[in-house]
Amino acid sequence: MLLRTILFGKTYEFPDIRILMGKANEEKSGDRLAGLSADTLAERAAAKIVLANLPLWVLRDNPAAPYEVDEVTRVIQDSVNESIFSEIKGWTVGELREFLLNDQVGCDQILRISDGLTSEMISAVTKIMSNMDLVYAASKIRVIRHCENTIGMEGTLSSRLQPNHPTDSPEGIRASIYEGLSYGVGDSVIGINPADDSYGSVSRLLDMTYEIIKNHAIPTQNCVLAHVTTQMRCLQSGSPVGLVFQSICGSQKGNESFGISVGLLDEAYELAKKYCYPSGPNYMYFETGQGSALSANAHHGWDQLTLEARNYGLAKRYHPFQVNTVVGFIGPEYLYNTEQIHRAGLEDHFMGKLTGISMGCDVCYTNHAKTDQNSSENLAMLLTAAGCNFFMGVPMADDSMLSYQSTSFHDIAALRSIFRLKPAPEFEQWMESYGILKNGQLTNKAGDPTIFLGRQK
Amino acid sequence: MESEQIDLLINEVIKRLETEGLISSQMQKNSARSTESNPGDKSKDPNQSFNINSGMGLQTISIDLDDPTKPVHRGKPLVDNSQDPEALLALMSTTTARIGVGRAGVRPKTESLLLFQSDFAVSQDALYKEVSQDLLKRMGLFTVNTLITEGKTEYLLRPDLGRSLSQEAKSILESKCIKNPNIQICVGDGLSASAIEANLEKIFPVLQSGCQIAGLSMGTSFFIQNCRVGVMNDIGDIIEPEVLILLIGERPGLGRADSMSAYMAYRPQKGHSDADREVICNIFDNGGTNPLEAGAYAIRLAQDMIKNKGSGVKMKMA
């Protein structure tokens, strides 16, 4: 294998695909931590030039982890539509980029090609796309999914209501839910990250959220983001579960560090189809994020963008209602500052869409990263322009349990307003029936959580 | 001259002096007054802190505000024309989440926006603090280091180095620590020294007496500087406790740098991951899991681990 170019008279040669993929990445502290970054900007530019000339079949032949040892690789490779792959296997990565950007190519054509791609190809094309390329290409792709309501339609923006509480107090969580609903937040899911992962606590929160949904006839789904094994136990014992959640990783070894496997996820998916209360057919919810495989030393020497692409390849197996990258959560050792978080957010969203999954983003940061709330607001606006399916709604963006900052109830309302977007159609109707929304505008009732007290539908 | 005309003339003169920057004595007198006054003076009505003295065409201003981070201000409902103001207060009292904040159009009100930004500023400033030597001395903890040698920036960028004990630390533990105790308790700064300073003196005695009551032997406790959770494996390999409890500062939250976690593992060793561990998180007074309760819960969890000979998700799946 010869992978070489001359740039400004200097020769750059890359020993293999793994090294080439690492060096072609935009700057990320995580790739530097893993020893995969380009040494100079010119070397990065050279790597991109070589990568752009690489035929797609080479990437299929060089997965991040060998087929024999890694079940995530097997899931991705086995799901490839061979007819479509054989049509495009001779394309270079650069040609794939131009296909995606071609103004004669629309959503259906892209989603068809998507079935012939592996995650390594998706990662490769992402590396040679600029930020606006990523926004533009993603904005063409709509992935629509249905559970109790519909997510991803053109002209809509959904939101997860994230009413976390430091000690899982049902009253405290309920109060945040009322506040969020009054801003029109909660159409993608009412989803709680529990502080206590035990069965008793998780089933109590499922019952409580389900009761709110039923009492107020809200067309949405609930979820408690405990470990999937706890949720499976809840499903089997008759708890009302809307979506089944799990954090996933891009390699088998990474998933083992999360205490999961493809077999376990298969089992959870079967239980979800059998026992979840909404009409479906999409019941799964996954969270991902660049750097998680590296942090578990499960990256097989590959860059974090490729491992992230493989998350989406795995997620696709379960036809999820929604997937989101938690883009700034992992910390500065993987995404150091605003530029890196922004780049990763745009990359992840695009890769998810190109994989054909319903993609959202937890636009967020921790207090030890070099960024701030203004930067988060910027990224949320960029991703809305890119057609992101949903964001998080957290009271004033400040999560009182997870100690990080996300996007706020106000942000959801503002993004809808700035970009002339609506909530999910079923949810929009419900908001109107509750007098929170009139002619697409929030009413005087919006923002007052007490409108849900003592009132039942 | 009529008095009206005199006033007009005086005003004209003052205006001209103002534009030429020549009336500074009056300004200085005013600013001196504002720094001398006691901020948040009880005798003052906080609503009256914005004074405009107008007269003779001259305006002076004195802004003297109370601390907006006090609970009395934080807990103030800001929803305009709430349907049920009393219930709004009741809802707000159930959570530390920032609810009841109202809105300025689709954006937050000025007060809550600026409070958020103030909280963020304080978290950022607190990030580079170190655990006080006095506290460690009082608790009788000696200090060992990880492979971090270049301070906090390296600590933030190189978690791998924070997960391994230095060679020196390993030999100190070999020589100083009791081997094979039932329970080994360690303390690490993690991402918040303030969390250790706020909680350690409360939780530590509970853990000690809990061990005594449960008849569990306790190892030699110590402090790890620039510490990550993964360091538990190195400690386990040297000390070989049945259960290791690592008290560690969590990433600072917004305006909250005092939240601590207790990570626990049964026979921690090389190769263990988070799936082998359990965690009690959000340990802090007033709103979190209070440190006294957390200590008692940790001992109960340790007893379960010893009984089941395992810990973490892996054990639940087995």
Side-chain angles (χ1 to χ4, degrees):
Chain A
M1 185 179 292
L2 181 62
L3 303 164
R4 190 167 73 187
T5 187
I6 301 173
L7 189 63
F8 287 103
K10 192 174 169 189
T11 303
Y12 296 89
E13 189 169 334
F14 306 93
D16 56 28
I17 300 297
R18 180 183 72 87
I19 301 285
L20 177 70
M21 290 281 271
K23 290 189 185 286
N25 247 3
E26 291 292 311
E27 178 69 23
K28 310 269 172 63
S29 50
D31 288 333
R32 205 156 280 290
L33 181 64
L36 296 168
S37 293
D39 295 331
T40 61
L41 294 181
E43 191 190 20
R44 174 173 300 142
K48 288 188 190 197
I49 291 167
V50 173
L51 185 59
N53 284 281
L54 196 73
L56 298 181
W57 63 264
V58 181
L59 289 158
R60 182 153 194 210
D61 284 357
N62 286 275
Y67 187 91
E68 299 72 30
V69 305
D70 189 280
E71 62 182 9
V72 176
T73 300
R74 293 198 287 276
V75 165
I76 294 164
Q77 295 278 343
D78 294 350
S79 73
V80 168
N81 180 313
E82 297 296 344
S83 306
I84 296 170
F85 172 70
S86 64
E87 286 172 29
I88 60 171
K89 66 184 178 188
W91 291 9
T92 63
V93 175
E95 284 167 346
L96 175 58
R97 172 180 173 277
E98 293 191 0
F99 169 83
L100 297 170
L101 299 175
N102 186 323
D103 32 41
Q104 304 306 315
V105 171
C107 181
D108 291 349
Q109 286 152 287
I110 294 175
L111 286 177
R112 177 173 178 276
I113 289 299
S114 162
D115 288 338
L117 299 174
T118 63
S119 303
E120 284 76 8
M121 301 174 202
I122 290 172
S123 166
V125 75
T126 303
K127 290 168 200 282
I128 62 160
M129 291 174 77
S130 75
N131 283 9
M132 202 182 285
D133 289 356
L134 295 172
V135 170
Y136 171 63
S139 76
K140 290 188 182 187
I141 309 169
R142 301 302 323 186
V143 180
I144 300 166
R145 294 288 178 263
H146 189 274
C147 188
E148 193 66 17
N149 61 18
T150 317
I151 194 169
M153 289 168 71
E154 183 87 51
T156 68
L157 174 65
S158 289
S159 55
R160 166 181 161 195
L161 207 172
Q162 185 172 307
N164 298 343
H165 186 281
T167 58
D168 292 340
S169 149
E171 293 72 31
I173 290 172
R174 184 189 293 269
S176 287
I177 291 175
Y178 288 161
E179 174 104 350
L181 288 172
S182 81
Y183 283 81
V185 172
D187 44 347
S188 101
V189 65
I190 296 175
I192 304 161
N193 298 93
D196 173 1
D197 200 81
S198 71
Y199 166 77
S201 175
V202 171
S203 65
R204 186 162 59 240
L205 295 179
L206 285 167
D207 286 339
M208 186 271 286
T209 44
Y210 183 71
E211 179 208 309
I212 293 176
I213 287 171
K214 284 293 139 191
N215 281 348
H216 297 282
I218 310 167
T220 190
Q221 36 280 321
N222 66 349
C223 182
V224 178
L225 289 76
H227 193 267
V228 70
T229 48
T230 310
Q231 294 168 84
M232 288 162 77
R233 202 176 144 198
C234 291
L235 280 169
Q236 282 165 315
S237 61
S239 294
V241 178
L243 296 177
V244 174
F245 168 84
Q246 180 57 42
S247 286
I248 55 173
C249 203
S251 72
Q252 180 175 338
K253 201 175 161 203
N255 284 325
E256 281 164 7
S257 85
F258 287 176
I260 59 166
S261 64
V262 171
L264 182 70
L265 291 177
D266 285 354
E267 209 180 308
Y269 183 46
E270 289 309 314
L271 284 174
K273 284 191 284 187
K274 199 164 174 182
Y275 293 115
C276 281
Y277 70 81
S279 55
N282 307 110
Y283 294 109
M284 302 301 280
Y285 174 17
F286 299 111
E287 279 189 342
T288 68
Q290 289 189 30
S292 62
L294 176 60
S295 80
N297 193 26
H299 61 301
H300 295 270
W302 278 66
D303 63 279
Q304 62 189 38
L305 187 71
T306 303
L307 268 296
E308 180 68 10
R310 289 163 56 92
N311 275 322
Y312 308 136
L314 172 60
K316 190 177 186 177
R317 177 180 178 89
Y318 304 104
H319 312 284
F321 180 71
Q322 59 179 31
V323 177
N324 66 264
T325 173
V326 192
V327 75
F329 190 73
I330 193 157
E333 59 270 38
Y334 305 95
L335 296 171
Y336 183 62
N337 56 15
T338 299
E339 283 80 0
Q340 294 184 18
I341 293 172
H342 280 193
R343 175 71 194 179
L346 297 177
E347 288 170 341
D348 294 356
H349 173 258
F350 165 76
M351 294 197 299
K353 282 262 188 88
L354 183 54
T355 306
I357 56 179
S358 159
M359 196 65 198
C361 183
D362 187 347
V363 174
C364 65
Y365 62 101
T366 57
N367 286 316
H368 60 316
K370 282 220 177 306
T371 187
D372 60 15
Q373 196 66 30
N374 283 333
S375 307
S376 275
E377 291 179 5
N378 289 350
L379 179 56
M381 289 188 281
L382 292 176
L383 283 170
T384 307
C388 188
N389 276 10
F390 69 103
F391 296 108
M392 308 298 130
V394 177
M396 283 299 290
D398 171 20
D399 192 298
S400 58
M401 199 287 274
L402 292 171
S403 289
Y404 80 124
Q405 284 89 252
S406 180
T407 43
S408 68
F409 299 150
H410 300 81
D411 292 344
I412 302 300
L415 290 167
R416 284 175 180 156
S417 195
I418 296 165
F419 289 89
R420 313 260 185 281
L421 300 172
K422 295 172 167 190
E426 303 87 346
F427 198 84
E428 183 190 21
Q429 255 184 14
W430 171 83
M431 282 173 72
E432 277 173 1
S433 77
Y434 253 64
I436 302 167
L437 192 75
K438 201 176 173 189
N439 303 323
Q441 293 263 320
L442 291 179
T443 68
N444 287 338
K445 283 187 181 175
D448 181 3
T450 69
I451 61 171
F452 295 100
L453 295 170
R455 176 173 165 176
Q456 297 198 350
K457 264 239 146 165
Chain B
M1 227 185 247
E2 293 292 323
S3 67
E4 252 179 56
Q5 283 176 308
I6 293 171
D7 281 352
L8 273 173
L9 190 64
I10 291 172
N11 281 345
E12 191 59 35
V13 171
I14 288 175
K15 246 188 212 160
R16 189 172 296 170
L17 290 174
E18 267 186 315
T19 51
E20 289 170 13
L22 290 174
I23 40 167
S24 54
S25 64
Q26 182 74 19
M27 306 294 276
Q28 275 170 1
K29 221 159 102 197
N30 273 306
S31 72
R33 196 183 61 193
S34 99
T35 48
E36 274 163 24
S37 73
N38 182 12
D41 191 337
K42 284 280 187 313
S43 64
K44 259 191 221 163
D45 181 344
N47 296 324
Q48 291 291 319
S49 55
F50 196 94
N51 296 323
I52 297 173
N53 308 322
S54 54
M56 298 193 300
L58 174 70
Q59 293 197 339
T60 64
I61 193 164
S62 161
I63 299 173
D64 181 17
L65 305 169
D66 194 20
D67 184 350
T69 67
K70 282 184 182 169
V72 58
H73 299 302
R74 278 187 190 277
K76 200 168 62 184
L78 297 173
V79 178
D80 293 328
N81 308 315
S82 170
Q83 192 172 287
D84 190 342
E86 257 176 61
L88 182 64
L89 275 174
L91 286 175
M92 291 173 73
S93 72
T94 62
T95 178
T96 50
R98 295 170 194 240
I99 62 167
V101 294
R103 57 195 188 91
V106 290
R107 301 306 298 156
K109 296 208 158 183
T110 306
E111 198 174 327
S112 33
L113 176 68
L114 298 184
L115 179 62
F116 177 100
Q117 292 181 352
S118 306
D119 285 333
F120 177 71
V122 167
S123 303
Q124 292 289 299
D125 289 346
L127 196 62
Y128 289 85
K129 198 178 152 184
E130 304 283 351
V131 174
S132 116
Q133 286 300 316
D134 282 356
L135 171 69
L136 298 177
K137 225 177 267 170
R138 272 204 306 282
M139 304 305 293
L141 302 176
F142 65 88
T143 298
V144 294
N145 275 286
T146 59
L147 290 175
I148 298 290
T149 54
E150 291 167 28
K152 291 277 181 190
T153 306
E154 186 189 32
Y155 173 76
L156 292 175
L157 285 169
R158 293 296 303 271
D160 53 329
L161 301 181
R163 289 188 201 116
S164 299
L165 289 172
S166 69
Q167 210 46 52
E168 191 197 358
K170 286 181 182 173
S171 40
I172 293 174
L173 298 193
E174 283 287 1
S175 65
K176 278 196 176 179
C177 292
I178 301 169
K179 304 291 161 8
N180 310 109
N182 295 132
I183 309 285
Q184 170 70 44
I185 300 170
C186 300
V187 183
D189 47 6
L191 287 163
S192 172
S194 313
I196 299 302
E197 291 181 354
N199 298 298
L200 186 61
E201 280 179 298
K202 291 169 190 157
I203 196 171
F204 203 77
V206 179
L207 292 171
Q208 281 175 313
S209 58
C211 282
Q212 258 174 17
I213 293 163
L216 298 168
S217 67
M218 219 176 113
T220 319
S221 301
F222 55 92
F223 174 75
I224 309 137
Q225 193 166 24
N226 291 319
C227 169
R228 299 263 176 187
V229 172
V231 83
M232 291 172 80
N233 295 0
D234 269 7
I235 297 169
D237 285 339
I238 296 169
I239 298 176
E240 300 186 350
E242 276 202 273
V243 172
L244 172 58
I245 303 176
L246 174 66
L247 305 172
I248 186 165
E250 290 175 7
R251 206 169 38 208
L254 205 61
R256 173 171 295 292
D258 61 350
S259 188
M260 187 180 80
S261 283
Y263 277 84
M264 300 178 57
Y266 180 77
R267 295 205 179 283
Q269 53 192 278
K270 191 172 191 294
H272 271 195
S273 67
D274 279 343
D276 299 285
R277 302 177 188 128
E278 313 244 351
V279 59
I280 306 168
C281 55
N282 285 308
I283 302 172
F284 60 88
D285 270 325
N286 304 321
T289 302
N290 93 45
L292 306 178
E293 275 176 37
Y297 181 58
I299 294 297
R300 215 179 68 209
L301 204 57
Q303 286 175 302
D304 286 351
M305 288 179 181
I306 291 169
K307 199 177 96 195
N308 300 325
K309 298 191 185 306
S311 57
V313 172
K314 274 192 180 164
M315 188 181 72
K316 281 190 211 162
M317 287 166 76

